[in-house]
Amino acid sequence: MRRSPFGVDICCRKGSRSPLQELYNPTQLELSNTAVLHQMRRDQVTDTCRANSAVSRKRRVLTPSDLKHLVVDEDHELIYCYVPKVACTNWKRLMMVLTGRGKYSDPMEIPANEAHVSANLKTLNQYSIPEINHRLKSYMKFLFVREPFERLVSAYRNKFTQKYNTSFHKRYGTKIVRRQRKNATQEALRKGDDVKFEEFVAYLIDPHTQREEPFNEHWQTVYSLCHPCHIHYDLVGKYETLEEDSNYVLQLAGVGSYLKFPTYAKSTRTTDEMTTEFFQNISSEHQTQLYEVYKLDFLMFNYSVPSYLKLE
């Protein structure tokens, strides 16, 4: 058993109470106020699923391949559904610390690219059906969400405006330029490295896009990645309250005394003001169609229609 620098065994939970018990029957008063907030967030998801059941429950049952985003920590009985562009690198780092049995102690010592190596974390689709059902029933399931259009702009900026992201330019950029740009140059068709936000939006709302293949995980809807209408999440964390929600999860898991969510102010972070600016050049028709694509995420996680939208 390796020990953390704090002299605490990282491997296994202290005491006999699971994170689920701690969430639904808090023993500490300060946790019970937070529990009320999270009950409201859970209710919002349930109500939205019920009100939109025709869309949200199109899929009657999930298959193991639908569970690729659910990261499992057996030692602390946690399941985390990761959503790209919602602090998932830092949460994967935390999950590596939690499941590493002492191999890691400081999440920020883990290089970002290592956090995204799939072999470093175990996901729910790797278990048998009875094991999957047991974990879904008895582990605490959580995810983190973000204002859908801010997340979308963040994905666009990261994947299409950074020169180093050549794999995305080749895989998606060339296709977007080919479909959405009239009189594209041969170079643009070959490289796909100068996709405009308007072209990206046109690609997302084009019915042909979703018929051809599922969205890439960086711009796929949360309800399609994490299936909140089929899987009952015990805790919905928000990007807007990232630190407190993350530390609440760690507290419930019994590791809050020595493990904290990494804090850092990212200067390049996509903000609401930036998102407003990106949407200035999108026609109201395209804004309306794009809102329809992400509507369930807006409703389910209680994000109001952005004031900058000119919906038809």
Side-chain angles (χ1 to χ4, degrees):
M1 164 71 70
R2 293 277 299 281
R3 294 172 83 79
S4 77
F6 313 90
V8 181
D9 293 337
I10 287 195
C11 155
C12 310
R13 262 197 353 267
K14 307 192 299 291
S16 56
R17 283 174 69 80
S18 73
L20 265 191
Q21 291 170 317
E22 207 50 74
L23 173 67
Y24 291 107
N25 301 295
T27 47
Q28 300 162 51
L29 185 62
E30 73 268 21
L31 290 187
S32 58
N33 298 334
T34 317
V36 175
L37 164 76
H38 286 284
Q39 180 63 55
M40 285 163 67
R41 288 184 188 172
R42 280 194 298 277
D43 291 345
Q44 178 76 22
V45 173
T46 308
D47 295 347
T48 307
C49 290
R50 198 174 290 136
N52 298 273
S53 60
V55 191
S56 63
R57 294 190 70 89
K58 240 182 222 162
R59 308 279 311 281
R60 282 284 161 254
V61 285
L62 296 182
T63 62
S65 67
D66 293 312
L67 307 174
K68 293 193 291 277
H69 273 246
L70 279 77
V71 176
V72 180
D73 169 10
E74 298 197 350
D75 291 334
H76 304 88
E77 300 188 356
L78 300 173
I79 293 176
Y80 159 57
C81 184
Y82 72 88
V83 177
K85 308 313 301 171
V86 193
C88 85
T89 305
N90 279 346
W91 256 107
K92 283 180 175 181
R93 284 171 163 143
L94 279 172
M95 293 300 279
M96 283 173 73
V97 173
L98 289 168
T99 58
R101 302 202 167 187
K103 187 176 173 186
Y104 312 98
S105 56
D106 176 3
M108 292 316 276
E109 277 175 5
I110 301 170
N113 58 343
E114 208 176 305
H116 296 294
V117 173
S118 53
N120 285 334
L121 289 166
K122 196 162 185 192
T123 47
L124 197 57
N125 58 313
Q126 295 169 288
Y127 293 85
S128 70
I129 305 274
E131 288 172 328
I132 289 172
N133 288 331
H134 165 70
R135 282 157 185 74
L136 283 175
K137 200 166 76 192
S138 55
Y139 287 16
M140 184 175 85
K141 301 167 294 299
F142 68 97
L143 78 166
F144 278 79
V145 299
R146 183 177 187 175
E147 202 278 340
F149 285 170
E150 194 182 289
R151 177 177 164 241
L152 193 63
V153 169
S154 175
Y156 167 77
R157 290 178 65 222
N158 178 244
K159 299 304 172 197
F160 295 107
T161 70
Q162 305 289 339
K163 288 295 169 212
Y164 61 80
N165 259 323
T166 48
S167 63
F168 268 81
H169 303 157
K170 281 264 187 292
R171 171 91 172 76
Y172 295 101
T174 53
K175 189 184 288 184
I176 294 171
V177 169
R178 192 172 69 244
R179 285 203 199 146
Q180 308 301 338
R181 188 179 302 176
K182 289 185 176 73
N183 309 320
T185 64
Q186 283 306 308
E187 188 184 17
L189 288 164
R190 194 179 73 252
K191 285 188 170 173
D193 63 352
D194 65 345
V195 170
K196 297 182 179 69
F197 186 64
E198 298 88 294
E199 294 169 333
F200 179 51
V201 168
Y203 161 80
L204 293 173
I205 60 179
D206 181 350
H208 182 240
T209 302
Q210 292 227 50
R211 275 203 303 270
E212 183 180 59
E213 58 180 349
F215 276 179
N216 175 277
E217 60 173 25
H218 291 85
W219 48 86
Q220 180 59 285
T221 58
V222 176
Y223 86 87
S224 300
L225 287 176
C226 296
H227 314 286
C229 293
H230 292 78
I231 293 171
H232 172 82
Y233 285 91
D234 303 293
L235 204 137
V236 176
K238 294 206 161 186
Y239 193 73
E240 297 75 23
T241 47
L242 178 60
E243 243 177 276
E244 52 206 275
D245 292 347
S246 296
N247 289 326
Y248 179 53
V249 171
L250 295 170
Q251 222 176 330
L252 293 169
V255 297
S257 58
Y258 59 87
L259 198 54
K260 293 273 180 281
F261 188 80
T263 59
Y264 66 106
K266 204 172 170 189
S267 57
T268 57
R269 191 174 91 75
T270 302
T271 61
D272 184 45
E273 295 75 46
M274 250 181 234
T275 306
T276 305
E277 217 162 292
F278 272 91
F279 272 84
Q280 293 301 296
N281 299 329
I282 307 295
S283 69
S284 58
E285 184 190 359
H286 280 189
Q287 287 187 4
T288 305
Q289 290 173 283
L290 191 69
Y291 180 76
E292 281 303 314
V293 173
Y294 291 93
K295 186 178 177 178
L296 276 183
D297 281 4
F298 275 100
L299 297 174
M300 212 169 266
F301 306 117
N302 208 16
Y303 289 109
S304 48
V305 176
S307 55
Y308 55 77
L309 282 196
K310 312 179 284 282
L311 296 182
E312 291 192 331

